[in-house]
Amino acid sequence: MVTRWRGAESGRRGRIFALARAAGCELPLDDQGKLAVRRPLPDIGHVIGNLIDTGTGAGEGAYVVVHTGTSAPARTWPAEGHRQAVLGLAEDGHRVVVTGKERELTTYVAHNVAVDLGGRTTLSQLAALIERAGVFVAGKTGRAHLAAAVGTPVVSLFAPVLPSAR
């Protein structure tokens, strides 16, 4: 028998919480069971503001973050797809910040039209950077979950499963 978690959840989410509870895992009363990050995040507004030419600070939504790479290449768009997305966003007037672990890849994707922060941020700095972004664009990576945890809208770019898929 599956019981509702704290009596407030139903459906799939309720069943998941009930399973966790049955396994001996109980959330504290003030925990809503949503993705979250430990706070406070570092204050990076002055740093990113200077990089994207908004002065001493970058307000929320002042830029788009495009994250390249993944531990499993089949989970994401190819580098050229990311590069075209960055070029298109820049052409439409968006300020773009490219992140990722591999500097060679981020430099290629940024293509002198975006700020290249590849390999230059800690996880907490990346979370702060993503939190201030208007949107986060990435393949199927853990960083997309990080964006969701800080409340930033996510656009996930999935690699086609079949050669004819788009």
Side-chain angles (χ1 to χ4, degrees), residues 25-84:
C25 301
E26 186 69 43
L27 290 175
L29 291 176
D30 62 341
D31 190 329
Q32 299 301 309
K34 296 181 180 179
L35 290 174
V37 295
R38 289 188 186 191
R39 304 229 179 233
L41 293 173
D43 181 9
I44 53 108
H46 64 288
V47 174
I48 194 64
N50 290 330
L51 287 171
I52 64 172
D53 296 326
T54 60
T56 59
E60 187 174 317
Y63 54 90
V64 174
V65 173
V66 176
H67 186 80
T68 63
T70 178
S71 60
R75 293 183 183 167
T76 191
W77 268 16
E80 186 58 33
H82 280 96
R83 184 176 181 160
Q84 291 305 313

Side-chain angles (χ1 to χ4, degrees), residues 93-150:
H94 297 280
R95 291 182 172 112
V96 182
V97 177
V98 177
T99 61
K101 192 163 74 171
E102 302 170 36
R103 287 284 297 169
E104 188 174 314
L105 176 60
T106 60
T107 299
Y108 175 77
V109 169
H111 190 61
N112 297 320
V113 299
V115 175
D116 178 8
L117 292 182
R120 294 195 224 172
T121 58
T122 65
L123 188 58
S124 62
Q125 289 169 334
L126 182 61
L129 177 76
I130 293 170
E131 182 179 48
R132 290 175 169 265
V135 67
F136 180 76
V137 181
K140 185 179 176 184
T141 70
R143 301 307 184 250
H145 296 286
L146 180 60
V150 297

